Amino acid sequence: MNARNYQNELTRLLQRMEGKKKLFLHCCCAPCSSYVLEYLYPFFDITVFFYNPNITEQPEYNKRKRELRRYLGEVPFGGEIAVADADYEPERFFHRTKGHERDPERGERCRLCFRLRLEKTAEMAAAGGYDFFCTTLSISPHKDADLLMAIGEELAERYGVSYLPSDFKKKNGYKRSIELSGIHHLYRQDYCGCIYSKAAREREKERVK
């Protein structure tokens, strides 16, 4: 069976669409969001949703949220993007991932984390009457687009809101996000957000010294 090409699916969907649809977009940080928003805003009325209970240290959480808002304030289309705020609730992440504290990066803990964030996004999208929901996470070369699509499509069935087919690292999306981060001097963190990924990153730095 041939692997799906989510970028081709998205391209075909955009070509078929008549008029702008409503998109509820989970955003993990400003750098990952930069290209995704630049790419999608001509096609959608977008509401960004910064829901990231995996960012378990509040100063880091606040910094990443501020950077996303700053980016929206600097780009020409930023005024067309709505923002849906979310509570800071790392306890939900700790509860959902209990027993997986020692999992390796990209393991089961990460899958549980993706599901936690996407489920809240789907729930909010359904409540708000959106046509689609999605996440910026697939732009990262460290994130599994197949896993994100599987979770998103499962939740789409449950909540009755379509999940936007996406692998935003395609079409040089990741490269463009780095370019935009440089142009806007965006803070680019070197770990996903939780204390476990931060510890893993620190161990990696020690090994390469």
Side-chain angles (χ1 to χ4, degrees):
M1 184 172 65
N2 293 332
R4 290 172 62 185
N5 186 312
Y6 307 124
Q7 178 58 52
N8 286 347
E9 291 182 28
L10 176 57
T11 298
R12 289 193 295 269
L13 186 152
L14 297 179
Q15 289 172 343
R16 293 194 308 267
M17 276 184 5
E18 297 181 2
K20 284 193 171 186
K21 303 296 184 181
K22 292 175 62 180
L23 171 66
F24 198 69
L25 180 66
H26 166 262
C27 292
C28 55
C29 63
C32 289
S33 304
S34 59
Y35 162 75
V36 177
L37 290 169
E38 179 185 72
Y39 174 40
L40 293 180
Y41 91 90
F43 305 100
F44 296 96
D45 289 325
I46 301 174
T47 297
V48 300
F49 185 44
F50 187 84
Y51 179 69
N52 297 291
N54 62 303
I55 306 175
T56 46
E57 297 176 300
Q58 189 155 17
E60 180 73 15
Y61 178 91
N62 293 339
K63 185 172 185 176
R64 295 191 195 188
K65 181 188 280 192
R66 284 196 305 270
E67 283 293 273
L68 178 58
R69 288 186 176 274
R70 182 172 69 81
Y71 175 72
L72 291 174
E74 291 184 4
V75 293
F77 58 85
E80 301 176 37
I81 307 296
V83 179
D85 213 342
D87 294 332
Y88 175 64
E89 46 186 19
E91 66 279 0
R92 292 197 65 193
F93 169 80
F94 287 126
H95 176 75
R96 181 67 66 92
T97 60
K98 186 176 181 180
H100 295 273
E101 294 85 355
R102 296 184 180 275
D103 286 2
E105 289 298 291
R106 307 188 199 181
E108 178 66 10
R109 185 183 65 242
C110 294
R111 187 189 69 80
L112 293 168
C113 176
F114 297 158
R115 178 174 289 277
L116 172 63
R117 290 188 275 174
L118 279 171
E119 186 161 10
K120 184 66 172 181
T121 305
E123 179 185 330
M124 295 284 287
Y130 286 80
D131 300 297
F132 296 92
F133 74 103
C134 191
T135 179
T136 61
L137 284 165
S138 70
I139 198 171
S140 169
H142 304 295
K143 301 295 188 293
D144 185 342
D146 290 323
L147 175 58
L148 292 165
M149 279 295 300
I151 295 172
E153 291 182 328
E154 177 189 331
L155 294 171
E157 287 288 327
R158 184 187 307 173
Y159 288 93
V161 183
S162 296
Y163 188 76
L164 196 70
S166 49
D167 185 358
F168 292 119
K169 67 180 70 66
K170 302 295 186 181
K171 293 184 65 176
N172 290 318
Y174 180 65
K175 179 182 178 182
R176 178 58 177 162
S177 75
I178 294 174
E179 292 173 352
L180 288 168
S181 294
I183 292 169
H184 294 278
H185 307 289
L186 298 177
Y187 165 59
R188 291 185 65 85
Q189 64 284 350
D190 62 359
Y191 68 103
C192 188
C194 71
I195 56 174
Y196 312 120
S197 63
K198 182 178 183 181
R201 179 61 179 143
E202 291 302 320
R203 289 193 298 269
E204 184 181 334
K205 288 179 180 178
E206 285 298 317
R207 282 198 297 269
V208 299
K209 276 186 177 179

